[in-house]
Amino acid sequence: VNFLLIMYAPVMQLVSFILLVAFMTRRRSLHESREQLRQELGLTEGEVMVGFFHPNCNAGGGGERVLWLAVRALQIEHGNKVQLFVYTGDLDAYKDSPEFDPAAEGEMSQADKERLAGKAILAKVERTLGVGMPDPDSIRFAFLSGRDRINPARYPRLTLLRQSIGGAFLGLEAIGLANPDVMIDTMGCHFAGAVFRYFGGCKTACYVHYPLISTDMIEVVNANSVAVNNPTTNSPFKRLAKLVYYRLFALLYGWFGRRWNLVMTNSSWTTGHIASLWGCQLPRLLYPPVYVKEFAHLGPDSLAGRLPIVLSVAQFRPEKDHPLQLRAFAKFLQLAPKDVADKASLVLIGGCRNDEDRARVDRLRCLAEELSIEDRVRFQVNAPHSELRTWLEKARIGLHSMRDEHFGIGIVDMMAAGLTVIAHNSGGPKMDIVTDPQLGFLAATEDEYAQALVDAFSLDDKQLRRRFEAVRRHIEKFAEEKNFMPGFCQLTKPLIDYRGGEHVVGY
């Protein structure tokens, strides 16, 4: 023991020295690779390479809409001054390209797959998210082979920590493929920022959709409450161990969070948590983009022709809590007047990322059968944007049930289309969106959602018109062309205009 204690300090010094030498060597080689890449692209001194780190860029959700509108905003604002890269693991998207020939797949080169995948991704972005690029040919993709490192299913234990470390390793792979001048994370791989900044020498910015850990999550464990990430346990030791793990992870998360040059957050709820956890100056609040003007042609008169449809718009992920919607709707049918209950239906529309999500939809179908409402419920999976718009224009009620939703783009979409919304009484919906009873309803339990549905269907024409006008005035602050796109360009401009050195924009 004495020998180990004596040797500990010099051994650690030696290890630190070796790591420092490796770090400096790696950073120097990455700097050289950046200059070589700039030469290959023919970039001048005033032109900047900007990389968007979003390994799941083809998922088609609200986070992806943030990514692609940010890309579009920089193209419009800076034109040829910026060369844009997107780091993604969606190489398999080449199979969705109309040019793909399954019979010739075995003969396809990696370059052919990447070319087709890039085209397919941008085509899906325009088709499902309604976002077109001013210059799609100028967008380059860097395809990551190690995306599974950030798959939570890969880590049944210590998921947050191991997934975050996996994100850091994925960042190393990314800068090996293309080391940009500026890296912007739009997915939430917050440990990758330090890798890009210190190994790649990049300026870094992140758009935070939600904190990986929060005081709310810690409180759920402390109270032994049931949640998506917290099955209850009767063991005080297990609960204590999880509490210690969460608190230690929060400290580590804060250290990595303070490494970003610029931090943007999507809601008041997220801003408060990130400011507390990362111990930084107040992050820049930038509401996510909502295409409000898409429904500008709808006036109060359009409400008269609405069908008795309750519409849910959310990806089929566990945290969205679709089972709560089904149970609440079943209870609503028991509470509502017969003439309303006989006509009402529930439509769940959203995207499936993988087989796990598709299996989740199958379980939801089974739950609908158990509740004897299968003939009143309809699932629209991976619907194109045009179909989503049709449903938004004819439905009457909008339903959203995620607890501690960081913002809730789908909720604002439904409000813009004239739906009366019912959202969870927490997070972004409570603090930023449904901030007044005139704007919609808030609920938390199955019974509260069922009663809110009854109350929403009982609104008369005069009440609906009054709400319509109040909602229209309120959601203008979420309009993508007035808020997100100019705000994103303004916040990132110092990073793009300043290339080289250690210019810090947030701390």
Side-chain angles (χ1 to χ4, degrees):
V1 172
N2 288 337
F3 174 78
L4 292 175
L5 290 174
I6 292 171
M7 293 299 295
Y8 175 78
V11 167
M12 290 306 296
Q13 288 177 342
L14 177 61
V15 171
S16 298
F17 176 74
I18 293 172
L19 289 176
L20 180 62
V21 171
F23 167 77
M24 296 304 294
T25 303
R26 178 63 172 161
R27 178 165 180 172
R28 187 160 53 248
S29 66
L30 286 170
H31 176 76
E32 293 171 354
S33 71
R34 173 191 289 135
E35 294 308 313
Q36 181 180 354
L37 181 58
R38 292 181 62 84
Q39 291 176 10
E40 291 176 0
L41 296 175
L43 301 183
T44 64
E45 183 61 29
E47 295 175 325
V48 181
M49 295 185 295
V50 179
F52 283 88
F53 193 72
H54 203 111
N56 290 329
C57 79
N58 202 36
E64 288 67 53
R65 199 160 196 275
V66 166
L67 160 68
W68 293 112
L69 277 168
V71 171
R72 176 180 169 81
L74 291 190
Q75 280 202 327
I76 294 174
E77 178 73 12
H78 299 285
N80 294 331
K81 179 183 176 181
V82 294
Q83 172 63 65
L84 300 177
F85 292 85
V86 177
Y87 299 95
T88 178
D90 292 302
L91 180 61
D92 60 348
Y94 73 86
K95 298 178 182 178
D96 298 327
S97 171
E99 299 178 36
F100 172 62
D101 180 6
E105 184 175 8
E107 301 175 4
M108 290 180 65
S109 65
Q110 178 74 9
D112 288 337
K113 291 180 180 179
E114 292 182 357
R115 179 179 59 82
L116 293 184
K119 286 186 174 182
I121 290 170
L122 293 177
K124 181 179 177 181
V125 168
E126 187 164 7
R127 184 177 68 254
T128 62
L129 299 179
V131 180
M133 297 297 128
D135 185 9
D137 294 334
S138 69
I139 299 172
R140 295 172 179 268
F141 289 86
F143 289 95
L144 305 166
S145 61
R147 184 177 63 180
D148 193 53
R149 291 179 183 274
I150 60 171
N151 181 5
R154 179 174 175 173
Y155 310 112
R157 297 288 183 271
L158 303 177
T159 306
L160 288 175
L161 177 61
R162 297 170 69 187
Q163 185 182 14
S164 297
I165 293 173
F169 277 101
L170 198 58
L172 280 174
E173 181 190 352
I175 55 178
L177 293 173
N179 188 19
D181 300 302
V182 179
M183 172 272 206
I184 303 174
D185 168 52
T186 51
M187 184 168 159
C189 297
H190 298 146
F191 280 35
V195 173
F196 273 87
R197 181 172 175 180
Y198 294 120
F199 280 77
C202 309
K203 300 298 165 291
T204 59
C206 65
Y207 189 86
V208 184
H209 298 280
Y210 58 90
L212 298 181
I213 186 81
S214 68
T215 53
D216 295 337
M217 291 171 63
I218 295 173
E219 182 55 35
V220 163
V221 177
N222 192 39
N224 200 27
S225 303
V226 178
V228 172
N229 64 328
N230 187 59
T232 56
T233 176
N234 294 322
S235 169
F237 174 77
K238 287 184 178 180
R239 189 159 68 250
L240 176 61
K242 191 167 186 177
L243 274 173
V244 171
Y245 162 58
Y246 269 16
R247 293 188 186 279
L248 289 175
F249 178 78
L251 292 174
L252 185 64
Y253 183 52
W255 186 90
F256 275 92
R258 290 188 290 275
R259 308 283 76 82
W260 293 96
N261 295 129
L262 169 66
V263 179
M264 296 169 280
T265 48
N266 69 340
S267 69
S268 300
W269 182 85
T270 305
T271 300
H273 280 285
I274 289 299
S276 173
L277 288 163
W278 290 6
C280 58
Q281 295 178 12
L282 193 65
R284 276 61 166 177
L285 172 58
L286 179 64
Y287 289 123
V290 183
Y291 190 40
V292 172
K293 68 178 183 181
E294 180 176 19
F295 301 103
H297 64 286
L298 298 176
D301 293 339
S302 67
L303 301 177
R306 296 297 174 108
L307 300 176
I309 295 172
V310 179
L311 183 66
S312 167
V313 181
Q315 287 184 304
F316 290 103
R317 292 156 54 179
E319 64 269 24
K320 299 301 183 180
D321 204 355
H322 288 94
L324 172 60
Q325 298 180 4
L326 293 176
R327 292 192 296 269
F329 183 72
K331 187 159 291 188
F332 154 73
L333 293 178
Q334 298 171 1
L335 296 175
K338 189 175 186 303
D339 61 324
V340 174
D342 287 347
K343 298 177 181 178
S345 62
L346 173 64
V347 176
L348 297 96
I349 185 167
C352 282
R353 302 162 298 175
N354 47 40
D355 291 339
E356 189 176 328
D357 286 352
R358 284 184 280 274
R360 188 170 295 110
V361 173
D362 290 338
R363 291 194 295 272
L364 289 172
R365 295 183 192 275
C366 292
L367 177 58
E369 292 180 7
E370 292 173 17
L371 296 169
S372 300
I373 58 172
E374 68 274 13
D375 58 334
R376 314 293 292 277
V377 178
R378 182 170 180 170
F379 294 86
Q380 300 293 123
V381 179
N382 293 330
H385 183 74
S386 58
E387 186 174 334
L388 168 62
R389 178 174 174 167
T390 299
W391 284 108
L392 285 168
E393 290 185 359
K394 67 182 180 181
R396 180 170 176 177
I397 311 294
L399 194 61
H400 198 276
S401 55
M402 177 177 170
R403 175 180 177 175
D404 289 332
E405 171 72 272
H406 39 283
F407 179 73
I409 290 179
I411 300 172
V412 184
D413 279 332
M414 291 187 285
M415 293 170 75
L419 282 70
T420 301
V421 298
I422 305 171
H424 199 280
N425 192 19
S426 64
K430 179 181 181 180
M431 297 179 71
D432 292 312
I433 303 176
V434 189
T435 55
D436 186 279
Q438 273 297 314
L439 302 174
F441 295 86
L442 293 172
T445 66
E446 187 179 309
D447 290 337
E448 290 176 359
Y449 270 98
Q451 185 58 52
L453 283 168
V454 173
D455 294 340
F457 270 107
S458 68
L459 296 173
D460 58 33
D461 290 343
K462 185 176 180 180
Q463 290 172 314
L464 288 173
R465 283 175 170 271
R466 187 164 58 245
R467 284 173 173 270
F468 183 91
E469 298 296 342
V471 165
R472 276 291 169 89
R473 290 192 298 269
H474 176 66
I475 63 175
E476 275 300 309
K477 65 180 180 180
F478 305 128
E480 63 186 39
E481 70 280 358
K482 293 183 180 179
N483 175 66
F484 178 80
M485 293 176 70
F488 184 84
C489 291
Q490 180 183 358
L491 290 172
T492 57
K493 190 176 188 296
L495 294 180
I496 293 174
D497 286 349
Y498 189 98
R499 194 171 69 84
E502 278 297 319
H503 183 62
V504 176
V505 176
Y507 302 96

